[in-house]
Amino acid sequence: MAGIIANIDDLLKYIETSASADFSLYKPSVTMAIRRFLIPVLGIEQYAVLTDAMDAEGDLSEDLEDLLNLAQEAVANLAMALAVSRLSATLGQEGAIRVESGSNKTAFQYQEINLREAYIMAGYDALDAMLAHLESKPTHYAAWATSSAYKDYKKYFIQSGLKFSDLYDIRQARYTYLAIRPIMRQVEDFDIKTTTGKKLFKALKEAILTDTVSAHYQTLLDDYICPAVALLTMARAVFTKAVDVTDYGVSTNLNLANNNSQQKQPANALQIDKAYQQLQADGSKYLSDLAEELANNPGDYPDYEPPVDDNATFKLVNKQENSFLVV
């Protein structure tokens, strides 16, 4: 099985480097990028279909050619993100040695960080574009549509960084999306499922997985559930500092603090508190509207079962100032 990037010319289609560069220096990072980033998204089955077609005689089909271009773009950039640090030093008997020559010096640390961040963003953007392409033609990529990678993609109501950014703008969309997925799961389990009831929640998940979402279900997803998930996820993410709020917007911090890196100006505590309160209020309004829609239109949602009052003798209410959360 050949790799999808086999030589320096394949890299030059997507990154800026010398045509005379030795590809063997980049190959370990390319292999790692395929294993770590591409295959979990594309699925080993669809990756095998692609590489087998590349090995066979004749031209690729138009569908596989489109997929190859997006996959190569993602791998090329993510491989360079891995290679930036690996190639700035060599490892010998004396330990790590900085690579310099009379006319060339190693980049400053902030330059290295910025370069790596640019490659990461470009690579993840390409992965999101690849997922959007696959989803637009699932019957053309049957190996992906029947894979565990597809099931993972369809696991949540909001399936990609691009879709999340349509509801709430996040920088470094896919990178940030992956960071907040655990929080998104909490919102789905503790907020959405409580509002829809377990039966309707399960029916919605099954419809998404099998691509059989009805018009009424789509209304729930588009008008209530997905906006609520996005806003409540960001509220928790801001509050728990899973994301950074800076003058650039909301994103995941790619960098560790260091003495010579360029740092974005962080928001102060008051700004973070205001962001949390607004996100929580807006997300809760979507939840309230969802509950109202379900209660007022039971015929449209036969799987909906109204919540039963548990008649608890007391309730603990989560507040921002609490030192713990009740779930």
Side-chain angles (χ1 to χ4, degrees):
M1 183 186 297
I4 61 170
I5 293 182
N7 52 55
I8 198 68
D9 290 334
D10 288 338
L11 284 177
L12 287 172
K13 291 190 292 184
Y14 307 101
I15 65 167
E16 303 81 6
T17 190
S18 171
S20 61
D22 184 357
F23 179 70
S24 65
L25 295 174
Y26 301 120
K27 190 172 181 180
S29 295
V30 168
T31 300
M32 189 183 303
I34 291 171
R35 182 178 65 250
R36 183 183 296 180
F37 302 112
L38 180 65
I39 290 179
V41 173
L42 185 58
I44 189 64
E45 300 87 354
Q46 186 65 61
Y47 182 73
V49 169
L50 180 59
T51 53
D52 287 348
M54 293 173 66
D55 290 341
E57 294 183 1
D59 296 332
L60 294 178
S61 67
E62 183 178 347
D63 288 329
L64 288 181
E65 187 69 40
D66 291 340
L67 179 59
L68 175 62
N69 289 334
L70 290 168
Q72 283 183 326
E73 182 180 356
V75 169
N77 280 282
L78 291 169
M80 291 305 101
L82 295 171
V84 166
S85 297
R86 293 159 66 97
L87 296 181
S88 63
T90 60
L91 188 63
Q93 293 181 346
E94 301 82 5
I97 302 173
R98 187 170 59 183
V99 178
E100 290 189 356
S101 66
S103 58
N104 295 303
K105 293 186 179 295
T106 304
F108 290 112
Q109 190 173 11
Y110 79 87
Q111 293 173 314
E112 183 178 314
I113 290 173
N114 289 344
L115 182 60
R116 184 169 62 249
E117 181 175 339
Y119 283 136
I120 289 173
M121 291 175 65
Y124 276 124
D125 284 350
L127 284 179
D128 261 341
M130 186 184 74
L131 282 168
H133 176 71
L134 289 166
E135 189 176 25
S136 70
K137 298 181 176 182
T139 58
H140 295 221
Y141 303 104
W144 174 71
T146 56
S147 68
S148 58
Y150 177 82
K151 291 180 180 179
D152 183 72
Y153 173 65
K154 290 289 188 177
K155 183 185 296 183
Y156 299 103
F157 289 121
I158 304 174
Q159 284 116 31
S160 71
L162 291 178
K163 292 181 179 181
F164 199 103
S165 281
D166 285 340
L167 299 162
Y168 187 89
D169 185 32
I170 51 176
R171 309 290 176 173
Q172 306 147 351
R174 182 160 183 80
Y175 196 93
T176 303
Y177 173 78
L178 292 175
I180 62 178
R181 282 209 338 172
I183 300 174
M184 194 161 59
R185 178 175 180 176
Q186 295 173 1
V187 170
E188 290 192 2
D189 286 345
F190 301 147
D191 296 309
I192 303 302
K193 188 186 295 184
T194 300
T195 305
T196 63
K198 292 181 179 179
K199 186 177 179 182
L200 178 55
F201 184 89
K202 182 179 179 181
L204 285 164
K205 289 289 187 176
E206 290 178 349
I208 291 171
L209 181 61
T210 57
D211 199 22
T212 56
V213 178
S214 67
H216 290 308
Y217 280 4
Q218 196 64 56
T219 296
L220 289 184
L221 291 168
D222 292 343
D223 294 352
Y224 308 105
I225 292 176
C226 289
V229 168
L231 293 168
L232 293 173
T233 296
M234 293 312 302
R236 292 190 184 205
V238 167
F239 179 57
T240 61
K241 294 182 172 60
V243 297
D244 291 333
V245 182
T246 72
D247 53 348
Y248 281 67
V250 175
S251 64
T252 298
N253 188 6
L254 298 176
N255 312 323
L256 297 175
N258 56 76
N259 292 330
N260 65 336
S261 67
Q262 294 178 338
Q263 297 294 316
K264 300 177 179 67
Q265 182 64 40
N268 58 43
L270 180 60
Q271 290 172 313
I272 292 175
D273 181 66
K274 286 183 176 180
Y276 167 80
Q277 296 292 349
Q278 188 64 59
L279 289 164
Q280 188 69 29
D282 292 346
S284 296
K285 180 62 168 63
Y286 277 109
L287 275 185
S288 176
D289 291 346
L290 170 62
E292 184 177 342
E293 168 70 13
L294 293 171
N296 291 341
N297 301 281
D300 293 340
Y301 312 107
D303 292 312
Y304 173 60
E305 297 176 343
V308 178
D309 187 355
D310 58 11
N311 294 316
T313 57
F314 69 95
K315 291 184 179 180
L316 294 176
V317 179
N318 288 324
K319 294 182 179 180
Q320 182 186 4
E321 60 268 21
N322 288 353
S323 60
F324 60 89
L325 293 177
V326 180
V327 296

